[in-house]
Amino acid sequence: MKKLIAGALLMGASTLAFAQPGCGIGAMVWKGQSGIAPHVLAATTNGTFGNQTFGMTTGTLGCQTNQSVQSMAMYMESNIDKVARDMSRGSGENLDTLAVLLGVDEADRDSFRKALQDNFATIFPSSDTTSGEAVDAIVALLEKDEALSKYVAA
């Protein structure tokens, strides 16, 4: 049993080691260093202090973000419950507001609504999901979509 747990931890650590920490204080502190240790330390620092979400939302800490994403983040901060409700239904005033804040063209709005509704469980995995976590998930989702990625490009 101990070998199984040790193997799982080793695999998890090796996966994290090759993932780039992106931005945040951890990435800034260990910038330019290579190897497993700096990557794990950078990711751990970012995860422990939750600064990467803040940096992505505000465009600080080495995180690049566009003004539209910052506007959406500010809107989500005070309207997260309403946005979640509309997103689960795939329509509504608050979902339309997100589209407007991101500058989503009228022609892409149906795709935008559908993408968010289809991925609701990913964007809001629990009732404790913060607005910062939801914004990060929305940006990550839209970045993967060929037609919608232009709205969240830094």
Side-chain angles (χ1 to χ4, degrees):
M1 183 65 167
K2 288 181 183 179
K3 288 183 181 181
L4 180 62
I5 293 171
L9 287 174
L10 183 60
M11 284 180 47
S14 66
T15 302
L16 285 174
F18 294 108
Q20 297 296 324
C23 61
I25 292 174
M28 294 172 76
V29 170
W30 285 279
K31 184 177 184 175
Q33 298 182 32
S34 60
I36 293 172
H39 287 280
V40 170
L41 290 170
T44 302
T45 301
N46 287 343
T48 301
F49 296 105
N51 62 71
Q52 193 169 29
T53 301
F54 173 79
M56 292 172 74
T57 302
T58 61
T60 59
L61 301 174
C63 301
Q64 299 297 320
T65 187
N66 68 26
Q67 188 65 41
S68 299
V69 171
Q70 290 177 19
S71 297
M72 177 183 67
M74 289 171 42
Y75 181 77
M76 288 281 290
E77 185 69 34
S78 56
N79 296 288
I80 189 168
D81 293 331
K82 296 174 195 170
V83 171
R85 183 192 63 231
D86 287 359
M87 195 179 295
S88 70
R89 294 187 302 200
S91 65
E93 173 182 339
N94 296 284
L95 199 53
D96 290 341
T97 300
L98 287 188
V100 169
L101 290 172
L102 288 173
V104 177
D105 294 332
E106 210 46 66
D108 291 330
R109 295 223 179 139
D110 286 338
S111 301
F112 175 78
R113 289 185 204 100
K114 181 161 177 37
L116 294 182
Q117 182 183 24
D118 290 350
N119 292 279
F120 178 80
T122 303
I123 297 167
F124 290 99
S126 76
S127 60
D128 297 330
T129 301
T130 66
S131 62
E133 292 167 339
V135 168
D136 290 347
I138 291 168
V139 170
L141 171 70
L142 297 179
E143 283 176 338
K144 294 177 191 172
D145 188 292
E146 191 174 316
L148 300 175
S149 62
K150 62 187 172 191
Y151 301 113
V152 292

